[in-house]
């Protein structure tokens, strides 16, 4: 029915450019990670895994990876323990105080991270935490909390209250309702929130940067100082590995919890 | 009371470890070395040409990046909602994939693309457009492209839901009344999607104001507030001045947040 429509073709061209623009910088790094050359050159002179080997040889990377994993797992656990009960308490209330509390819990999303990093360093040093793993955990926890709260609250709002009422009518205590009805139904949401929280913490640079010390340098901090000093494909290898793990986590989470449904809810048509 | 109990730990945690540190910075910015109150740092920030320029460059860069994101993001959101069909999955993937990559990977990607022997120079030479590789390093254009790359998905994802909620019969009505397609878009669709555009703009502007990794690695010759915070923290270690600049960024972010909330309330 539709004839060749110049406006639509223009729109298509814009979208094609958009896809190229968004994917090119990522794909080029993935390609570079398999180069056999010792520097950045295209076309790749040959394929090799030497940069992945280099990544495993370079002690600061591994040390950074360990710190990042500890911080991301710890901050995520902290956010779930704090965030899930708070989301359940707030999600269904329309009271102005509840809305204000929700805004407050989500507010770290809007604050410039470099400012919070600087502020947290001073404050936590003052109360004796300084450049330590617990200090990093607490700072990351503040940033991860909103992700868990947002996803959990949205999912809880979507649960029909009738389910809980039915359990209560049948004589279940509030604790039993939470344990046997609400939490099992919210498990995919909590898993999704935890995954976001983990990825956000793992990739956080502006915050971790201020807590730099040999024992508290996270992977992004180590990578930043590496790229500031040299321009070679080692960063490509480590970025590609990180991307692969993130994709794997997402696929696994989708398999076990059906994140697709959760994320796709707003998709519509 | 029973409602407050599950809420208290999260609120106390943020109050203690998020709000207090920020207030501490504000306090530090107005406290002189001898402990007395002072506005000297703000006098310097708003009186010295160097700092005024840094603030102007921060705002100008964020505004420019926001504008580019609207111009590029609106057509993509429009296509995604109205025409995507089987391309929908590809576009959604394109929007989400960057969120799985580290900020360093993306920044590094721009360095690689425009490296002396990178793909762009290869292409330009292959097409015979240049004879020797161009040195792109440190160009402002690449830094801006990299910032847009980070922020564009947020813009598209802000506009999409609003476009989706527009009743298409309104456009049909405009067409029946004799409006051309372009005029119907300009006078019906665009005004109705205003809210999504504004939401996206505030979000992008807010995040752009605080970003520094991109400019730090790609250069571009700008001195923005986050860069100055980073540099002065590392070199001069004048923490009073760093606190004052941080406070300015903080107030900017709070203003954006307030605007965002007003918009949400109005939208109901």
């Amino acid at each position: 029915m539709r004839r060749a429509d110049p406006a639509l073709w223009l729109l298509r061209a814009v979208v094609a450019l958009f896809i190229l623009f968004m994917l090119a910088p990522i794909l080029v790094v993935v390609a570079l990670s398999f180069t056999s050359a010792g520097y950045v050159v295209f076309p790749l002179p040959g394929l090799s895994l030497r940069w992945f080997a280099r990544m495993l040889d370079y002690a600061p990377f591994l040390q950074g990876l360990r710190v990042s994993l500890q911080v991301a797992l710890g901050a995520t656990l902290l956010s779930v323990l704090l965030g899930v009960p708070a989301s359940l308490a707030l999600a269904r209330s329309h009271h102005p105080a509840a809305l204000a509390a929700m805004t407050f819990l989500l507010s770290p999303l809007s604050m410039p991270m470099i400012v919070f990093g600087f502020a947290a360093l001073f404050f936590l040093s003052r109360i004796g935490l300084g450049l330590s793993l617990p200090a990093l955990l607490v700072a990351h926890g503040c940033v991860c909390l909103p992700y868990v709260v947002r996803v959990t609250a949205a999912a809880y709002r979507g649960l029909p209250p009738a389910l809980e009422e039915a359990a209560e009518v049948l004589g279940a205590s509030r604790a039993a309702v939470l344990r046997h009805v609400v939490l099992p139904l919210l498990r995919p949401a909590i898993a999704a929130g935890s995954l976001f929280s983990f990825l956000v913490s793992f990739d956080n640079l502006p915050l971790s940067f201020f807590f730099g010390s040999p024992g508290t340098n996270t992977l992004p901090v180590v990578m930043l100082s590496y790229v500031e000093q040299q321009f070679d494909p080692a960063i490509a290898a480590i970025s590609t590995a990180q991307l692969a793990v993130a994709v794997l986590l997402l696929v696994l989470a989708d398999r076990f919890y059906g994140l697709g449904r959760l994320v796709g809810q707003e998709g519509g048509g | 009371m029973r409602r407050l109990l599950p809420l208290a730990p999260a609120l106390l945690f943020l109050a203690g470890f998020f709000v207090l540190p920020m207030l501490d910075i504000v306090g530090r910015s107005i406290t002189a070395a001898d402990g007395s109150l002072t506005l000297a740092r703000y006098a310097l920030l708003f009186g010295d040409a160097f700092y005024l320029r840094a603030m102007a460059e921060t705002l100008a860069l964020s505004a420019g990046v926001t504008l580019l994101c609207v111009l590029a993001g609106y057509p993509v959101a429009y296509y995604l909602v109205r025409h995507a069909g089987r391309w929908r999955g590809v576009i959604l993937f394109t929007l989400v994939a960057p969120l799985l990559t580290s900020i360093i990977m993306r920044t590094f990607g721009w360095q690689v693309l425009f490296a002396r022997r990178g793909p762009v120079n290869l292409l330009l030479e292959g097409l015979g457009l240049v004879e020797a590789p161009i040195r792109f390093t440190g160009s402002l254009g690449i830094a801006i492209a990299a910032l847009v790359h980070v922020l564009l998905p947020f813009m598209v994802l802000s506009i999409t839901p609003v476009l989706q909620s527009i009743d298409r019969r309104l456009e049909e009505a405009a067409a029946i009344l004799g409006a051309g397609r372009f005029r119907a878009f300009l006078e019906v669709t665009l005004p109705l999607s205003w809210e999504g555009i504004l939401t996206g703009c505030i979000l992008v502007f807010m995040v752009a104001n605080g970003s520094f990794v991109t400019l730090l690695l790609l250069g571009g010759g700008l001195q923005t507030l986050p860069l100055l915070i980073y540099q002065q923290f590392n070199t001069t270690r004048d923490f009073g001045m760093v606190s004052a600049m941080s406070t300015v960024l903080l107030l900017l972010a709070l203003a954006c947040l307030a605007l965002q909330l007003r918009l949400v309330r109005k939208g109901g």
Side-chain angles (χ1 to χ4, degrees):
Chain A
M1 192 177 109
R2 220 170 258 254
R3 289 168 295 115
D5 174 346
L8 188 59
W9 278 107
L10 189 67
L11 192 59
R12 280 189 187 134
V14 171
V15 172
L17 273 178
F18 161 80
I19 294 174
L20 180 71
F21 174 78
M22 290 307 295
L23 295 184
I26 299 171
L27 294 179
V28 85
V29 174
V30 173
L32 183 67
S33 68
F34 295 101
T35 188
S36 61
Y39 46 92
V40 177
V41 57
F42 282 84
L44 303 180
L47 298 178
S48 94
L49 292 174
R50 62 183 277 205
W51 294 106
F52 290 93
R54 159 95 171 134
M55 170 182 98
L56 297 175
D57 280 346
Y58 188 65
F61 280 156
L62 295 183
Q63 172 74 12
L65 178 66
R66 206 168 66 211
V67 175
S68 281
L69 284 176
Q70 283 169 338
V71 172
L73 285 174
T76 300
L77 187 65
L78 191 63
S79 317
V80 169
L81 290 178
L82 293 171
V84 172
S87 321
L88 296 186
L90 290 177
R92 285 189 185 157
S93 173
H94 294 286
H95 194 278
L99 294 179
M102 189 53 109
T103 308
F104 177 59
L105 289 180
L106 297 180
S107 66
L109 288 178
S110 313
M111 295 301 128
M113 277 306 109
I114 185 167
V115 173
F116 177 52
F118 173 65
L121 174 69
F122 267 106
F123 185 78
L124 295 173
S125 305
R126 189 183 281 189
I127 62 169
L129 283 175
L131 298 177
S132 65
L133 209 56
L136 262 183
L137 262 180
V138 166
H140 276 236
C142 291
V143 178
C144 292
L145 184 63
Y147 289 89
V148 172
V149 168
R150 199 166 53 177
V151 180
T152 311
Y156 188 53
R157 246 175 251 135
L159 284 189
L163 293 174
E164 286 161 70
E165 284 155 19
E168 268 162 25
V169 167
L170 293 171
S173 67
R174 183 69 193 149
V177 173
L178 281 178
R179 205 172 135 216
H180 297 293
V181 179
V182 177
L183 288 180
L185 286 169
L186 287 183
R187 205 180 292 150
I190 297 171
S194 306
L195 183 67
F196 289 143
S197 150
F198 181 88
L199 292 174
V200 162
S201 162
F202 199 85
D203 187 34
N204 185 297
L205 180 56
L207 203 51
S208 311
F209 155 75
F210 288 97
F211 293 84
S213 80
T216 50
N217 271 335
T218 61
L219 186 58
V221 175
V222 177
M223 286 167 72
L224 177 67
S225 69
Y226 191 93
V227 280
E228 276 186 307
Q229 284 153 21
Q230 56 218 80
F231 186 60
D232 74 28
I235 288 297
I238 196 157
S239 301
T240 303
Q242 200 179 328
L243 175 63
V245 172
V247 170
L248 190 73
L249 278 179
L250 205 67
V251 170
L252 281 180
D254 188 38
R255 261 280 167 76
F256 288 116
Y257 296 113
L259 294 185
R261 259 181 307 155
L262 204 82
V263 181
Q265 257 172 9
E266 51 211 90
Chain B
M1 211 44 230
R2 224 184 73 182
R3 292 276 298 278
L4 267 176
L5 205 60
L7 191 56
L11 293 182
L12 288 176
F13 180 78
L14 273 197
F17 294 119
F18 190 74
V19 179
L20 274 186
M22 299 290 220
L23 289 178
D24 192 35
I25 286 299
V26 178
R28 189 182 285 269
S29 75
I30 52 170
T31 309
D34 61 3
S36 61
L37 283 182
T38 174
L39 287 175
R41 294 179 190 111
Y42 291 97
L44 188 62
L45 259 183
F46 291 97
D48 184 81
F50 173 74
Y51 287 109
L52 277 177
R53 195 168 153 201
M55 286 191 281
E57 285 185 354
T58 310
L59 294 176
L61 178 70
S62 302
V65 166
T66 306
L67 184 67
L68 287 173
C69 283
V70 176
L71 293 179
Y74 193 89
V76 174
Y78 188 84
Y79 186 80
L80 182 64
V81 171
R82 294 289 169 83
H83 300 284
R86 67 202 159 93
W87 288 97
R88 188 185 155 81
V90 178
I91 297 175
L92 283 177
F93 172 79
T94 310
L95 288 170
V96 176
L99 301 177
L100 295 177
T101 61
S102 72
I103 180 76
I104 294 190
M105 181 185 199
R106 284 187 268 170
T107 314
F108 184 68
W110 286 97
Q111 285 178 324
V112 172
L113 269 180
F114 288 93
R116 213 178 65 84
R117 302 183 65 186
V120 171
N121 265 323
L122 186 73
L123 187 72
L124 290 178
E125 282 181 276
L127 292 174
L129 292 175
V130 295
E131 294 188 352
I134 300 181
R135 212 172 157 272
F136 290 104
T137 319
S139 93
L140 180 59
I142 294 174
I144 289 179
L147 275 173
V148 171
H149 185 255
V150 173
L151 296 169
L152 188 51
F154 295 108
M155 181 65 83
V156 176
L157 292 173
S158 299
I159 297 176
T160 306
V162 176
L163 272 181
Q164 217 149 27
S165 68
I166 293 177
D167 191 338
R168 296 196 67 173
R169 284 174 300 183
L170 292 172
E171 285 161 51
E172 284 159 23
I176 290 169
L177 292 174
R181 226 174 17 151
F182 189 62
R183 191 154 164 231
F185 170 78
L186 224 53
E187 293 191 9
V188 177
T189 317
L190 194 59
L192 284 174
S193 42
W194 189 234
E195 207 183 291
I197 296 176
L198 216 55
T199 310
C201 284
I202 297 170
L203 181 65
V204 168
F205 186 78
M206 190 158 73
V207 181
N209 269 331
S211 63
F212 84 109
V213 180
T214 312
L215 288 179
L216 179 71
L217 290 177
L218 295 176
L222 291 183
Q223 284 283 15
T224 63
L225 280 184
L227 269 183
L228 280 184
I229 291 175
Y230 175 88
Q231 283 159 3
Q232 298 206 353
F233 176 82
N234 274 333
T235 53
T236 60
R237 302 193 86 80
D238 179 355
F239 296 138
M241 213 50 216
V242 176
S243 300
M245 288 189 283
S246 298
T247 304
V248 170
L249 274 185
L250 187 66
L251 291 177
L252 259 176
L254 283 173
C256 289
L257 186 64
L259 268 179
Q260 217 174 27
L261 286 176
R262 262 191 71 184
L263 206 63
V264 172
R265 297 254 160 81
K266 236 174 69 190

